[in-house]
Amino acid sequence: MSPHEHGGSHPRRGQGGGPGRSGSGRPGSGRPGSGERGSGERGSDERRDARGRQRGAARVEGRGQRSAQVPSQRARTADVARATAYDVLRAVDEGDSYANLVLPPLLRERGVRGRDAAFATELTYGTLRLRGRYDAVVEQAAGREVTRIDPPVLDLLRLGAHQLLGMRVPAHAAVSQTVGLARERVGAGASQFVNAVLRAVARDELDAWLTLIGDAADPQESDAVARLAVTQSHPEWVVRALREALVGDGRAPDDVADLLAADNAAPRVALVARPGLVTPEELREQAGAEAVPGRVSPVAVLPGGGDPAGVDAVRTGRAGVQDEGSQLVALALAAAPLDGRDERWLDLCAGPGGKAALLAALAAQRGARLVANEVQPHRARLVEQSLRAVATSAVEAVRTGDGREVGATEPGAYDRVMVDAPCTGLGALRRRPESRWRRTPADLVGLAALQRELLGSALRAVRPGGVVAYVTCSPHLAETRLVVTDAVRAAAKVGIVVETLDARAVARDVAAGPLDLVGDRLDLQLWPHVHGTDAMHLTLLRRR
């Protein structure tokens, strides 16, 4: 068995009189049954005492600590899967890199395949998603704030905590292998600190830790958002914004707990069968026996596993990897009712090219042409790569330019316009786990201004009777409804009048099956916990 033993069961730690288990099931007592009341409740003083005992039991300074394991049991070096995950975490922290861009080439370079690659992938993404939760656990186990722990050591502790609390890794393997990695990368002294902290973490199970860190975040148990932020590993401002977006969509505020949990789950890969190039049935056959049709998009295929790049249609560009929500909003733009001709389409912010490729394939079937505009040259090259299998007659141009200027240089030139605006990405946190830790409320100011300018440009670029799709991969109200309201009002001041189409009705017409939508709004908001997609927003506007 490989050193990470990822096929083993997750033992129930701390039972049978082991250290750190109190009779109440909370971490930190060290004496079975201590402090337990007949009602099962604890007073605030007892909570503080329990936390203090936990900290005292695990307080370590990184020097002079000795592992309880005999030397022959300690891992001297780390296995390649854990080492790869650690290197990705360091690249994300030190270089503002994105894990989805760093991990795949690193796995190939090091020859990590099969179960080891799957282990490294889950370890990397799971640790990044749940970083906030594990930082709170580490603070309790180490008895110090994480800001006082060197970042390389902290990343090791996060990796170890995820193996112990988030994966089916036996405690002895999780601790031993992470300590071996620490010894190899940060030295013997720091590895002793890592060993002591992870042994403290291993004393209890996830539920007990969630109770403890929730109590630490909200001692009065009066602020549900504060507790959710730490236990579900999202910045507090993000939790509040998502709850407001849910309410704005007609859903219950308490749904935010399910949404956060969905953000913390690994998303299933979705493939898109580009119309006219490959059928969904053909793509399912290529993707393997376990592949199934999409739940939301009629051209989606959900493979059972494996590397999508190994699917022939994906390799040749006849299919692609694309979230079902992203597929649905592109299909909705193509299906939206317009007045007059339907010959020239524009993707205003086309990089990296997923929506552009789907739109171009649809345009080819209708005799229309697509212009794909992208402001960044390297992303424009990705668009060209995505369009390589589409008939050249359907692609008028892939060009590099500022989308904010298109409306002025080409007024009324297009029949359909896609504005997939740059945004915070709060709707795709399950795919870009590091984004939740990088974004701040201040980002909304600049992004919302850019979004308004892009939508305003699109409303000038579309002809009367034509349709604009405003799309974001964020449900934040400041990036969705407020942007649309401001842009429509600004357009009216220069004589451009638009009407809002029923995006929900259009989406229902093209969807693979029923869509769970509530309320009576005209815009469309998808949700990971409801639809299994990224939280895509769509507003359809037709110029009069």
Side-chain angles (χ1 to χ4, degrees):
M1 181 173 287
S2 63
H4 37 269
E5 297 186 61
H6 45 71
S9 62
H10 195 163
R12 294 183 59 82
R13 292 179 288 276
Q15 295 188 358
R21 169 69 63 179
S22 73
S24 69
R26 293 193 181 208
S29 171
R31 292 184 291 112
S34 66
E36 185 176 22
R37 295 181 175 180
S39 64
E41 297 178 350
R42 287 178 181 261
S44 59
D45 289 341
E46 289 170 326
R47 289 195 189 97
R48 284 193 292 271
D49 290 343
R51 289 196 288 269
R53 286 192 293 270
Q54 176 68 31
R55 293 190 188 101
R59 194 179 302 275
V60 287
E61 299 300 328
R63 292 186 179 182
Q65 303 292 330
R66 293 187 179 273
S67 169
Q69 295 172 301
V70 298
S72 63
Q73 293 176 320
R74 301 175 197 159
R76 294 296 177 182
T77 59
D79 64 280
V80 67
R82 285 182 176 85
T84 300
Y86 173 76
D87 289 339
V88 174
L89 261 60
R90 296 309 305 139
V92 168
D93 181 64
E94 293 180 326
D96 284 340
S97 302
Y98 287 98
N100 68 318
L101 300 179
V102 176
L103 179 60
L106 205 55
L107 293 174
R108 290 193 295 269
E109 175 186 317
R110 298 180 179 181
V112 184
R113 301 181 180 86
R115 294 177 66 199
D116 287 346
F119 181 86
T121 299
E122 166 53 27
L123 183 55
T124 300
Y125 284 104
T127 301
L128 286 170
R129 290 187 189 101
L130 297 171
R131 194 187 85 177
R133 173 188 293 176
Y134 296 143
D135 283 359
V137 169
V138 166
E139 284 192 346
Q140 294 292 327
R144 63 173 67 175
E145 295 179 358
V146 292
T147 55
R148 295 179 53 216
I149 301 175
D150 288 342
V153 176
L154 182 56
D155 273 342
L156 288 161
L157 292 171
R158 291 165 174 163
L159 286 172
H162 186 53
Q163 294 168 66
L164 290 166
L165 303 179
M167 299 176 70
R168 296 174 61 84
V169 179
H172 69 87
V175 175
S176 176
Q177 290 296 322
T178 306
V179 169
L181 177 60
R183 185 178 293 109
E184 182 180 285
R185 298 301 181 88
V186 295
S191 72
Q192 293 168 356
F193 174 71
V194 170
N195 178 68
V197 174
L198 291 184
R199 283 173 56 78
V201 173
R203 288 179 184 136
D204 283 281
E205 296 177 354
L206 177 60
D207 287 346
W209 277 114
L210 292 179
T211 299
L212 180 63
I213 64 176
D215 288 348
D218 177 29
Q220 303 303 317
E221 299 189 9
S222 59
D223 188 347
V225 169
R227 297 178 75 87
L228 283 172
V230 66
T231 59
Q232 293 299 323
S233 194
H234 285 66
E236 191 169 324
W237 76 270
V238 172
V239 179
R240 296 190 188 280
L242 293 177
R243 188 173 66 171
E244 290 174 3
L246 284 163
V247 172
D249 194 43
R251 299 185 183 274
D254 290 346
D255 283 2
V256 71
D258 291 336
L259 173 56
L260 300 179
D263 278 349
N264 290 334
R268 187 167 183 177
V269 172
L271 306 180
V272 56
R274 291 166 180 159
L277 302 176
V278 66
T279 67
E281 293 74 21
E282 291 168 339
L283 184 56
R284 284 203 303 273
E285 184 176 346
Q286 292 182 26
E290 297 181 356
V292 296
R295 171 183 169 189
V296 169
S297 166
V299 293
V301 169
L302 307 179
D307 184 359
V311 177
D312 181 68
V314 174
R315 190 169 53 250
T316 59
R318 294 175 294 130
V321 177
Q322 186 176 12
D323 177 72
E324 283 198 76
S326 177
Q327 296 178 40
L328 186 65
V329 296
L331 294 170
L333 170 60
L338 49 67
D339 298 327
R341 69 176 187 269
D342 191 10
E343 301 171 353
R344 198 165 184 240
W345 301 359
L346 170 67
D347 189 345
L348 193 64
C349 312
K355 294 181 184 69
L358 180 51
L359 288 171
L362 294 167
Q365 294 184 317
R366 302 189 196 177
R369 306 183 315 281
L370 176 75
V371 174
N373 180 82
E374 169 55 45
V375 69
Q376 298 180 5
H378 75 279
R379 287 171 64 87
R381 290 191 290 272
L382 294 176
V383 175
E384 291 175 341
Q385 180 69 11
S386 295
L387 293 170
R388 67 190 184 278
V390 181
T392 55
S393 61
V395 181
E396 180 178 320
V398 176
R399 65 193 189 194
T400 303
D402 190 334
R404 294 172 292 184
E405 300 174 357
V406 174
T409 58
E410 297 182 274
Y414 296 95
D415 305 309
R416 299 184 189 269
V417 180
M418 167 70 73
V419 185
D420 184 14
C423 66
T424 57
L426 297 185
L429 295 181
R430 56 190 191 147
R431 299 185 189 280
R432 289 286 184 89
E434 59 280 302
S435 293
R436 70 184 75 180
W437 311 118
R438 291 179 178 173
R439 290 298 189 186
T440 70
D443 293 330
L444 291 166
V445 177
L447 284 168
L450 174 61
Q451 290 156 0
R452 288 192 295 269
E453 290 183 85
L454 288 167
L455 181 52
S457 176
L459 293 175
R460 293 190 296 275
V462 75
R463 63 164 179 80
V467 177
V468 171
Y470 176 72
V471 173
T472 64
C473 192
S474 169
H476 200 300
L477 296 178
E479 299 186 89
T480 55
R481 296 180 186 172
L482 296 180
V483 166
V484 172
T485 298
D486 290 347
V488 168
R489 184 182 296 120
K493 292 180 179 179
V494 295
I496 298 175
V497 180
V498 302
E499 60 179 320
T500 303
L501 300 179
D502 190 342
R504 294 183 173 199
V506 176
R508 283 190 171 107
D509 286 344
V510 299
L515 291 176
D516 181 357
L517 303 174
V518 297
D520 57 359
R521 293 194 57 87
L522 297 178
D523 54 8
L524 173 71
Q525 182 62 59
L526 301 174
W527 298 102
H529 67 297
V530 177
H531 306 104
T533 69
D534 291 344
M536 303 293 299
H537 173 89
L538 170 67
T539 296
L540 291 173
L541 302 170
R542 183 166 60 197
R543 183 173 173 179
R544 293 178 182 171

